Amino acid sequence: AYLPLDIEQPAARIQRILAAAQPRAVVVNETTRTLLEGAEVASVDVSALFALPHPGSSATRTPQDATDPRSAIPLPTVQPADPAYVIYTSGSTGEPKGVVVSHRAIVNRLLWMREHYGFGPDERFLQKTAYTFDVSVWELFLPMLCGGTLVVAEPDVHKDPQALAALIRRERVDVVHFVPSMLAAFLDEPGSEGLRMQAVFCSGEALPAQMRDRFHARIDSALHNLYGPTEAAVDVSYWAASRDDRSDPVPIGFPVWNTGLYILDECLRPVAPGVTGTLYLGGRQLADGYVGRPDLAEARFITHPGLDPDHPEPVRLYDTGDLARWRADGAVEYRGRIDHQVKLRGQRIELGEIEAAFETHP
Ligand code: AMP
């Protein structure tokens, strides 16, 4: 399993995550090595391995002097139930929590996306999302599963709409992701006018209906609204926010493969269409829990005694904390949060984490 770290975060926070997650080893290069000073963790330095010749230079190079991570860390054979990645997200107790997602869960999500949108070897995917955000998981692995091309953006291009528009044109990118607040900035950028792509995916925040319409007035591409928490392998529902879609609000839509969306009342009973309740998720994409914190998992992953009155059997569900309601056509609409979780440019923040930091400060 891999655990991505954001090297722009304070070293102290990185070290707290390492202490909690206890990785077998940390992969570093000459720049990031310094972030581990004082931390009790094994590291594998790959600087030499990646010091490859500039493209176009004729020199070939064998990384003889490099530590090969494969020989440094013997890797076990992977089974579907084994963890694939651990992604840290804000925790209301003041400590970030590490969500553990299995291969079975993320492979379901990736294969669904490949088949549902018919992606194949002709597509060019842009990787621009920070690795610490789970959207990066499909950006990185979907091209490999469909034989497409992976275009890797320079660091920080995702924050620069002008550079991003130029990159999409230059590299003839077909598939790209935006959190809606970044899509808003992108639509304001003169360079985005008239771009042609195959599919733009939004997720992480509500997609306003008016942004959908602005998008279609400027950009020639399909637009998709995906929804899901880190705790359920990136996304669990989809909606085609097409040019002629007049929905307001834009729904989060229908479940992906092997996934159940349940809108329940306070007694965990399903609500009728049009009635707002809490959105619970079930199925293959649910995370295993949080690293080293079974108490937190117990609070959010519940066992429901049985949702089908004719065949009641216990099901494991994740309590998203999102409010939702059914439309008459079976699409789900997002209606806000039940708690104090907020999003800042797509970044999930528990206000409780900030409160806890204030309370412990002298
Ligand atoms: P994260 O774990 O960072 O992916 O954040 C998950 C949360 O982001 C969800 O529980 C929702 O509150 C919000 N979210 C994600 N996608 C959408 C969407 N398409 N529409 C509205 N809210 C969303």
Side-chain angles (χ1 to χ4, degrees):
Y2 76 96
L3 158 62
L5 296 170
D6 183 350
I7 57 169
E8 290 188 352
Q9 287 188 346
R13 186 183 175 95
I14 292 176
Q15 295 206 5
R16 283 220 313 276
I17 289 177
L18 292 176
Q22 304 262 307
R24 300 271 296 273
V26 184
V27 180
V28 294
N29 61 19
E30 61 242 322
T31 329
T32 54
R33 198 162 37 207
T34 55
L35 292 168
L36 299 184
E37 264 156 32
E40 282 180 29
V41 59
S43 65
V44 177
D45 193 327
V46 294
S47 316
L49 198 61
F50 290 104
L52 295 170
H54 192 267
S57 114
S58 59
T60 51
R61 188 179 170 287
T62 42
Q64 286 144 337
D65 49 343
T67 319
D68 183 339
R70 285 160 302 192
S71 57
I73 318 166
L75 297 175
T77 319
V78 170
Q79 300 297 328
D82 290 333
Y85 60 84
V86 175
I87 284 189
Y88 269 79
T89 179
S90 180
S92 55
T93 56
E95 280 297 317
K97 49 189 187 189
V99 183
V100 183
V101 175
S102 68
H103 285 267
R104 190 195 334 254
I106 188 62
V107 167
N108 187 78
R109 165 66 182 71
L110 292 169
L111 294 183
W112 165 80
M113 193 177 196
R114 183 182 70 183
E115 299 304 311
H116 188 81
Y117 299 104
F119 291 141
D122 294 336
E123 270 71 59
R124 297 171 65 81
F125 297 84
L126 184 61
Q127 201 291 312
K128 72 174 178 65
T129 303
Y131 301 138
T132 44
F133 187 30
D134 65 0
V135 167
S136 67
V137 180
W138 70 255
E139 287 181 340
L140 281 169
F141 294 103
L142 190 60
M144 300 188 201
L145 281 179
C146 64
T149 302
L150 175 66
V151 177
V152 182
E154 300 274 310
D156 290 340
V157 164
H158 66 287
K159 297 179 194 159
D160 180 346
Q162 193 182 0
L164 196 53
L167 173 71
I168 291 171
R169 271 209 173 80
R170 189 173 67 243
E171 295 292 335
R172 293 173 289 110
V173 168
D174 298 303
V175 181
V176 66
H177 175 273
F178 287 95
V179 290
S181 42
M182 289 312 293
L183 182 61
F186 189 68
L187 294 176
D188 285 342
E189 158 57 37
S192 68
E193 172 101 62
L195 271 180
R196 287 184 75 163
M197 283 177 280
Q198 188 176 325
V200 172
F201 290 93
C202 273
S203 71
E205 296 165 334
L207 173 67
Q210 164 241 343
M211 194 184 295
R212 169 199 59 206
D213 298 341
R214 245 183 99 212
F215 174 92
H216 289 299
R218 275 186 86 76
I219 292 178
D220 181 3
S221 167
L223 177 66
H224 301 285
N225 185 27
L226 304 184
Y227 159 88
T230 308
E231 285 85 343
V234 197
D235 302 295
V236 286
S237 77
Y238 67 95
W239 176 261
S242 58
R243 184 179 287 275
D244 49 10
D245 176 26
R246 298 273 46 90
S247 312
D248 189 1
V250 177
I252 57 172
F254 305 105
V256 303
W257 290 352
N258 302 305
T259 294
L261 308 178
Y262 306 95
I263 306 176
L264 307 179
D265 68 12
E266 281 162 11
C267 302
L268 299 180
R269 290 172 307 203
V271 300
V275 177
T276 298
T278 301
L279 181 59
Y280 288 76
L281 312 174
R284 198 168 298 173
Q285 286 190 194
L286 291 200
D288 297 340
Y290 305 106
V291 179
R293 293 301 304 263
D295 55 324
L296 295 180
E298 218 167 278
R300 299 313 288 252
F301 292 87
I302 63 158
T303 303
H304 193 285
L307 287 150
D308 180 350
D310 299 329
H311 308 279
E313 54 177 55
V315 276
R316 183 169 178 258
L317 298 180
Y318 172 68
D319 175 355
T320 64
D322 288 320
L323 296 168
R325 72 180 179 200
W326 296 109
R327 282 193 349 182
D329 63 355
V332 173
E333 285 176 349
Y334 169 80
R335 309 285 298 157
R337 288 291 302 176
I338 208 162
D339 57 10
H340 300 301
Q341 178 178 298
V342 298
K343 286 279 181 145
L344 198 58
R345 280 176 240 107
Q347 177 93 21
R348 172 169 151 189
I349 300 170
E350 295 286 355
L351 295 180
E353 182 169 356
I354 299 171
E355 280 170 20
F358 275 126
E359 275 165 12
T360 55
H361 195 278

